[in-house]
């Protein structure tokens, strides 16, 4: 079996081959047990420098990347927009060229502009770029950990019905998830308020419906998304109450799910809006498993990129 | 001083002429037009060989006129100047350009209009017709001093790039302009729908995760401005038409007799939104590149005369504005030097008559702007352009005269090139080695 990625950067799901995806998942599976060891550190990334450049706030993803890197003995440095030269008027390219001049190996980038990691990957010669979320475009490592979680819990992906509900318009997670689950042979349904279902969504290969019940019927996986108020210029829905009423996941809407269906959420969750507190904490919920798996999947990605470099 | 361009394919949309023949230039004016079919066979034995251009069948057309460019001076001379912009114009076959008012400061005052005119007269390789703002500061509120601006040399009025949002202000502008018989040029976009969009809304914006600008933003604005033109009787020109719906609205308005004209730019009939792939900021412009359906409708609009003119919307930007995140990148591409090559595709692929193509690039803009030129006529100034329709054109930094190179065609090999441009008898651009030698 080939144990090399076909790509130098992790920018978007569509750039990964099925072999890449399987390799990342299998590697993550092997690495995951390290997280449960008493001494959670192994040496494969010794001498590797990972810089996380976050131009947008993040808790989970950043921590996840940093822990993943540290577990594998990489040196990690974190830069956030608030403490960087961006505020002094430096261009993104100059900022990152300066970072590159200090010879990091892997750059983990989150940015509010769609395509910013692609832009950096095009201009940097010396390091690999991982997209940790760009604007409303993609969040490929989240999609990989979501896929990993589904495979781990349900044992397969092909043929499953995946329902993604909520703010599809602004969700980079949804845009990556739709692609990755389609690529793996699942049936992807998306639903939510029509004003949050963007024009052109069919291009990603999802079945789009404004009827939540249709998306939920016999679904094996329900992926819930947060309303991204910070990305909406103006509110695209009348109120959260109205949203919860028509589109939020409540117990009655779960009746027609597949028997062993799981509930997922990339976080942070708004309890009582996209799903009830009870469902968030229920046996069906794998929300915290996703978080744990995130570290394993990112360990896999870092080690595979590093293996290709060295 | 006499010069003879002989063995040329003469194309003059003003008279409908498309014949082999010769043009004699004397003292900066066209002194004679001689057609092969009338028995002309190369008289003028008194001319020296150095005074004769054997064009070997190349097109000889009126000097081209671009009614929509950005020259960036005053204020952004690092992108382009009147000197470099008009030099690029000459390289593209243009003898005249109309420059948009979004300079720094904006052209909303007689002093700026006068500055541009003086600078162009001193340094320009092409005539420059300044377009002044409709409203002071392009702010969409108070009208500029249109009468005085016209006296100072303004050719038309436009708040290009920042369209007049308030319909009452636009109505007022049209009514007032009508009193001076002045032309209003509309950059037609409903800004509320544009919002923070950065490319055409649809399949591609979804694939790239970029915020979209719906085509209805143009449709609604075109509808409004046509309705206001109809109501006020003003002369209205719609800039850079990019959508099928806008073409249809203009077609219908013209059929009703509304005084509206329209232009499109080469990129709208050459490219689609697919060019944005890879977050290519050189494919970012406003209005954005649309779909294949829109592109076909624009071509159809040019062919049936709904769209009168081809204008480049030449918009130079440096790497400071273009080598950045896509949503932060400035809108616009340069176009003066690639316009002819790209437009020839309309003849080659889409069956457009060469006469009509040249009309779009010369005679029509001259009529819309009500300026001289755009035709081959005896006693008129010798504004000429020689086009080699087969000569390849490598679009490289070195081959461009513009100060900027923000074009999606950079690195491409286009077909067809302007080999000589003459403004009032003066050669402003020539690919010939030197002086007056015979073309290879």
């Amino acid at each position: 079996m080939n144990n090399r990625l076909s790509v130098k950067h992790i920018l978007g799901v569509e750039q990964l081959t099925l072999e890449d995806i399987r390799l990342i998942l299998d590697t993550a599976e092997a690495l995951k047990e390290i997280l449960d060891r008493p001494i959670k550190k192994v040496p494969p990334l010794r001498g590797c420098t990972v810089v996380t450049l976050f131009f947008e706030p993040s808790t989970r993803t950043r921590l996840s990347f940093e822990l993943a890197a540290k577990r594998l003995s990489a040196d990690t440095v974190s830069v956030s927009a608030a403490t960087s030269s961006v505020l002094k008027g430096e261009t993104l390219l100059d900022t990152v060229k300066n970072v590159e001049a200090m010879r990091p190996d892997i750059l983990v980038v989150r940015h509010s502009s769609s395509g910013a990691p692609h832009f950096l990957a095009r201009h940097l010669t010396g390091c690999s770029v991982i997209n940790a979320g760009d604007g409303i475009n993609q969040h490929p490592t989240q999609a990989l950990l979501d896929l990993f979680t589904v495979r781990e819990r349900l044992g397969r992906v092909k043929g499953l019905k995946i329902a993604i509900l909520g703010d599809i318009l602004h969700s980079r997670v949804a845009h990556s998830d739709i692609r990755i689950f389609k690529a793996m042979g699942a049936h992807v349904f998306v639903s939510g308020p029509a004003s949050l279902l963007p024009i052109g969504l069919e291009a990603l290969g999802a079945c789009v419906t404004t009827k939540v019940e249709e998306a939920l019927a016999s679904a094996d996986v329900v992926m819930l998304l947060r309303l991204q108020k910070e990305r909406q210029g103006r509110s695209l829905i009348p109120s959260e109450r109205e949203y919860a009423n028509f589109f939020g996941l409540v117990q009655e809407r779960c009746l027609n799910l597949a028997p062993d269906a799981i509930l997922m959420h990339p976080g942070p969750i708004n309890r009582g809006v996209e799903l009830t507190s009870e469902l968030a904490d229920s046996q069906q919920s794998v929300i915290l498993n996703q978080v744990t798996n995130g570290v394993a999947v990112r360990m896999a990605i870092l080690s595979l990129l590093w293996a290709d470099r060295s | 001083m006499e010069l003879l361009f002989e063995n040329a394919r003469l194309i003059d949309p003003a008279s409908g002429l498309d014949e082999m023949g010769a043009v004699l230039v004397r003292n900066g004016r066209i002194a004679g037009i001689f057609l092969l079919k009338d028995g002309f066979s190369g008289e003028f034995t008194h001319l020296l060989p150095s005074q004769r251009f054997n064009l070997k069948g190349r097109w000889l057309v009126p000097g081209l006129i671009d009614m929509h460019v950005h020259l960036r001076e005053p204020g952004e001379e690092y992108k382009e100047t009147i000197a470099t912009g008009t030099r690029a114009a000459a390289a593209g076959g243009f003898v005249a350009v109309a420059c948009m008012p979004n300079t720094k400061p904006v052209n909303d005052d007689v002093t700026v209009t006068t500055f541009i005119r003086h600078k162009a007269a001193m340094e320009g390789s092409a005539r420059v017709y300044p377009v002044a703002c409709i409203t002071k500061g392009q702010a969409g509120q108070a009208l500029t001093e249109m009468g005085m601006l016209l006296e100072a040399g303004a050719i038309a009025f436009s708040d290009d790039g920042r369209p007049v949002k308030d319909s009452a202000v636009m109505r007022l502008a049209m009514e007032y302009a009508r009193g001076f018989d002045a032309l209003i040029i509309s950059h037609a976009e409903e800004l509320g729908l544009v919002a923070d969009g950065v490319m055409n809304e649809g399949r591609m914006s979804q694939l790239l995760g970029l915020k979209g600008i719906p085509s209805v933003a143009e449709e609604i604005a075109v509808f409004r401005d046509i309705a206001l033109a109809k109501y006020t009787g003003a002369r209205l020109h719609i800039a850079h038409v990019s959508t099928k719906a806008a073409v249809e609205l203009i077609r219908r308005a013209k059929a009703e007799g509304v005084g509206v004209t329209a232009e499109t730019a080469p990129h709208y009939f050459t490219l689609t939104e697919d060019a944005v792939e890879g977050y290519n900021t050189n494919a970012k412009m406003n209005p954005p590149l649309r779909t294949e359906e829109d592109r076909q409708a624009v071509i159809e609009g040019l062919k049936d005369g709904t769209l009168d003119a081809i204008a480049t919307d030449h918009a130079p930007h440096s790497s400071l504005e273009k080598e950045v995140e896509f949503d932060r990148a400035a809108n616009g591409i340069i176009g003066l030097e690639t316009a002819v090559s790209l437009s020839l595709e309309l003849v080659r692929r889409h069956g457009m008559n060469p006469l009509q193509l040249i009309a779009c690039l010369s005679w029509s803009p001259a009529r819309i702007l009500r300026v001289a030129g755009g035709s081959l006529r005896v006693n008129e100034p010798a504004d000429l352009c020689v086009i080699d329709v087969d000569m390849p054109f490598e679009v490289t930094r070195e081959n461009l005269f513009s100060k900027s190179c923000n074009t999606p065609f950079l690195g491409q090999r286009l077909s067809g090139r302007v080999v000589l441009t003459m403004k009032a008898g003066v050669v402003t651009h020539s690919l010939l080695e030197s002086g007056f030698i015979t073309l290879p």
Side-chain angles (χ1 to χ4, degrees), chain A residues 113-114 119 122 136-137 179 198, chain B residues 206-209 278-279 323 327:
Chain A
S113 291
S114 300
F119 169 72
R122 202 161 59 235
I136 57 169
N137 182 36
R179 284 179 168 95
Chain B
Q206 180 59 43
L207 286 177
L208 293 172
Y279 304 93
E323 284 202 0
D327 52 12

Side-chain angles (χ1 to χ4, degrees), chain B residues 144-272:
Chain B
T144 53
E145 295 162 325
M146 289 187 177
M148 286 162 70
L149 285 161
L150 287 167
E151 278 185 353
I155 198 76
F157 298 93
S158 178
D159 275 1
D160 185 62
R162 290 181 65 189
V164 178
K165 199 170 174 172
D166 186 332
S167 301
V169 175
M170 194 58 162
R171 172 197 170 165
L172 181 66
M174 286 199 197
E175 281 178 333
Y176 190 76
R178 191 186 47 133
F180 290 89
D181 205 12
L183 180 70
I184 297 284
I185 300 177
S186 163
H187 170 119
E189 277 196 310
E190 164 56 39
L191 293 174
L193 286 167
V194 173
D196 49 359
V198 293
M199 71 170 294
N200 185 50
E201 178 170 284
R203 181 183 156 275
M204 204 63 196
S205 64
Q206 180 59 43
L207 286 177
L208 293 172
L210 291 169
K211 290 206 173 164
I213 301 172
S215 60
V216 288
E218 176 168 303
E219 185 180 354
I220 288 169
V222 168
F223 184 90
R224 181 197 77 169
D225 287 349
I226 286 174
L228 287 172
K230 195 167 145 185
Y231 192 65
T232 60
R235 291 168 58 212
L236 171 69
H237 178 77
I238 309 286
H240 40 52
V241 171
S242 71
T243 65
K244 181 182 181 181
V247 173
E248 280 168 4
L249 284 169
I250 295 161
R251 186 176 288 133
R252 210 179 313 151
K254 284 187 163 184
E256 282 178 35
V258 181
V260 61
T261 55
E263 76 196 24
T264 189
H267 36 277
Y268 298 117
F269 59 71
T270 306
L271 301 174
T272 65

Side-chain angles (χ1 to χ4, degrees), chain A residues 56 92 110-119 131 133-138 169-170 172 175 231, chain B residues 198-199 205-211 278-281 324-328:
Chain A
E56 252 191 1
L92 175 65
R110 168 167 288 193
H111 200 284
S112 59
S113 291
S114 300
H118 308 65
F119 169 72
N131 180 359
D134 63 325
I136 57 169
N137 182 36
Q138 285 209 48
L169 177 61
H170 298 99
R172 51 197 176 203
H175 301 157
R231 288 189 207 280
Chain B
V198 293
M199 71 170 294
S205 64
Q206 180 59 43
L207 286 177
L208 293 172
L210 291 169
K211 290 206 173 164
Y279 304 93
N280 180 5
T281 55
V324 295
E325 303 90 307
F326 191 89
D327 52 12
R328 292 176 64 109

Side-chain angles (χ1 to χ4, degrees), chain A residues 15-77:
Chain A
Q15 298 180 1
L16 300 172
T17 62
L18 289 180
E19 287 68 42
D20 289 333
I21 294 172
R22 287 198 189 99
L23 178 60
I24 292 168
L25 261 51
D26 293 345
T27 309
E29 204 166 80
L31 293 172
K32 192 181 169 184
E33 58 86 21
I34 295 168
L35 301 177
D36 294 323
R37 291 184 192 174
I39 295 169
K40 303 179 183 62
K41 205 171 183 86
V42 290
L45 258 62
R46 222 165 44 182
C48 172
T49 305
V50 178
V51 175
T52 63
L53 266 173
F54 276 60
F55 296 92
E56 252 191 1
S58 159
T59 310
R60 204 174 336 262
T61 304
R62 181 178 194 143
L63 185 58
S64 181
F65 267 110
E66 280 186 40
L67 281 177
K70 286 179 198 295
R71 297 284 182 255
L72 298 173
S73 306
D75 297 312
T76 63
V77 190

Side-chain angles (χ1 to χ4, degrees), chain B residues 266-267 270-271 333-334 338 342 395 407-414:
Chain B
H267 36 277
T270 306
L271 301 174
I333 62 170
I334 57 168
T338 48
L342 298 173
V395 187
T407 161
F409 304 104
L410 197 69
Q412 287 188 29
R413 185 185 166 97
L414 306 178

